[in-house]
Amino acid sequence: MLIIGENIQIISTVVKKAVNNRDKEPLQALAKKMVDHGADVVDLNIGRRKKDGPEVMRWMVDIMHEVIPGVPLSLDTTNAAAIEAGLERCQQLGTEAFVNSISAMPDRIAEVMPLVAKYQPNLIALTMTKAGIPVSAEERVNIALELLLPPVMEAGLPMDRLYIDPLILTVKGSQEYAPNAVETIRFLKQGLDPAPNTVVGLSNISNQVPHEGRSLINRTYLVMLMAAGLDAAIADPLDEAQNEVLRIIKERDDSTGVGRLLLALYDATAAMEELDPSAVDMNDPDQVAIWKTVQILCNKIIFADSYLRM
């Protein structure tokens, strides 16, 4: 499981101030902390940055290279000129790059795919058209097959550098999307040969949820996504509880009740089955919380901020 550290985001007041002032120390400290906590890739989200995007992205690549040399960088912006500036600088420094991202919108494909053809980076491709994000897995898979794969193949990008993102929406108002994203990943991994990589923006599943409940939703959903074949997640590597779940699944550690339940959830999802309530110790509050969260993520019960108290 590839973890793409999400914490350098322009919406963060600290990050925005550091970028605007070209103050590298807070950004370097955050990048180093993410890598020390398990991030395999660091995402550099600079937003649109219409006026100074290329200069900012080059600067970001340079300051990352100073402190985390050799760590791949994800160039996260809608500004195609900034993407090119970042790709060029990564190439000069010998740094592996991800482009985050393209969608199935013709204008976006037209401006970004020539850069993909030229630099051959890893590419994150979103199953989204001008009409938006479809609910069903079938429609999202069709976007990937009919609108994303052809330009990628035309650009000569190897399939192992393509990461399809089925797009995660929050359970707060859009929870019907959650199980369909799992099934989109399952089909992409099992129905295509060679199969592309898959990636999600994990924390999107808990957007607008009270802070204290976000990690539980994120890490429970991560288990389900991994069981369907997820290859990478744009996520918070500083979430220690989430890191522990990753360890449990990787090592198949069933030495605790929570560990056994998470493995049961993983195995049931992999087998396209529902989690059996007999796997849950209803006297263990932590297991009950996981069980209730699974019901939300499977769209069995309607999400409310107070769902754990119901």
Side-chain angles (χ1 to χ4, degrees), residues 170-212:
T170 178
V171 292
K172 192 165 184 175
S174 303
Q175 71 181 72
E176 69 274 15
Y177 284 79
N180 282 288
V182 173
E183 295 312 310
T184 301
I185 288 169
R186 192 191 307 277
F187 182 90
L188 291 170
K189 298 305 295 182
Q190 296 181 3
L192 299 181
D193 186 17
N197 296 301
T198 54
V199 64
V200 298
L202 181 62
S203 61
N204 290 339
I205 193 67
S206 62
N207 276 348
Q208 302 175 18
V209 171
H211 177 75
E212 62 273 12

Side-chain angles (χ1 to χ4, degrees), residues 3-268:
I3 297 297
I4 303 173
E6 68 178 7
N7 304 64
I8 298 179
Q9 301 182 39
I10 201 66
I11 61 172
S12 161
T13 302
V14 172
V15 171
K16 186 175 182 178
K17 181 179 179 180
V19 171
N20 289 343
N21 295 335
R22 302 299 189 271
D23 180 6
K24 67 181 183 181
E25 291 185 2
L27 301 173
Q28 289 179 328
L30 185 52
K32 183 70 163 55
K33 189 175 183 180
M34 283 193 286
V35 172
D36 288 346
H37 283 76
D40 303 291
V41 181
V42 170
D43 190 70
L44 304 177
N45 179 284
I46 67 168
R48 295 185 179 184
R49 215 78 201 186
K50 290 184 178 180
K51 294 183 179 180
D52 59 358
E55 186 268 324
V56 167
M57 190 63 85
R58 277 191 296 268
W59 176 75
M60 293 283 279
V61 171
D62 281 340
I63 66 170
M64 292 298 115
H65 184 70
E66 290 176 5
V67 70
I68 50 169
V71 175
L73 301 175
S74 172
L75 312 178
D76 188 352
T77 177
T78 56
N79 185 328
I83 290 175
E84 181 164 25
L87 288 172
E88 182 180 43
R89 192 65 182 131
C90 283
Q91 187 178 76
Q92 292 167 351
L93 295 172
T95 298
E96 184 179 358
F98 284 67
V99 169
N100 187 8
S101 56
I102 68 162
S103 66
M105 297 181 188
D107 291 348
R108 185 63 173 171
I109 289 173
E111 65 180 0
V112 174
M113 289 313 297
L115 305 179
V116 172
K118 180 178 179 180
Y119 293 97
Q120 295 289 294
N122 299 287
L123 175 65
I124 296 173
L126 314 178
T127 57
M128 178 175 65
T129 67
K130 286 184 177 180
I133 305 167
V135 175
S136 76
E138 181 180 3
E139 289 179 274
R140 285 189 249 189
V141 168
N142 286 340
I143 290 172
L145 294 179
E146 298 174 7
L147 301 177
L148 294 174
L149 285 181
V152 167
M153 295 174 67
E154 186 177 340
L157 189 72
M159 194 64 77
D160 62 3
R161 294 185 192 170
L162 175 64
Y163 289 76
I164 300 290
D165 185 344
L167 291 168
I168 305 302
L169 276 70
T170 178
V171 292
K172 192 165 184 175
S174 303
Q175 71 181 72
E176 69 274 15
Y177 284 79
N180 282 288
V182 173
E183 295 312 310
T184 301
I185 288 169
R186 192 191 307 277
F187 182 90
L188 291 170
K189 298 305 295 182
Q190 296 181 3
L192 299 181
D193 186 17
N197 296 301
T198 54
V199 64
V200 298
L202 181 62
S203 61
N204 290 339
I205 193 67
S206 62
N207 276 348
Q208 302 175 18
V209 171
H211 177 75
E212 62 273 12
R214 295 197 65 182
S215 177
L216 174 62
I217 294 171
N218 293 349
R219 62 185 187 258
T220 304
Y221 195 42
L222 181 58
V223 173
M224 298 167 65
L225 292 163
M226 291 172 66
L230 183 70
D231 298 289
I234 303 169
D236 180 7
L238 307 183
D239 184 338
E240 295 291 359
Q242 182 174 284
N243 293 342
E244 175 62 7
V245 166
L246 283 167
R247 185 198 65 78
I248 287 170
I249 298 302
K250 180 179 180 180
E251 299 177 6
R252 290 196 66 84
D253 181 358
D254 62 357
S255 62
T256 65
V258 165
R260 289 190 291 275
L261 177 56
L262 291 173
L263 290 170
L265 172 61
Y266 180 95
D267 292 343

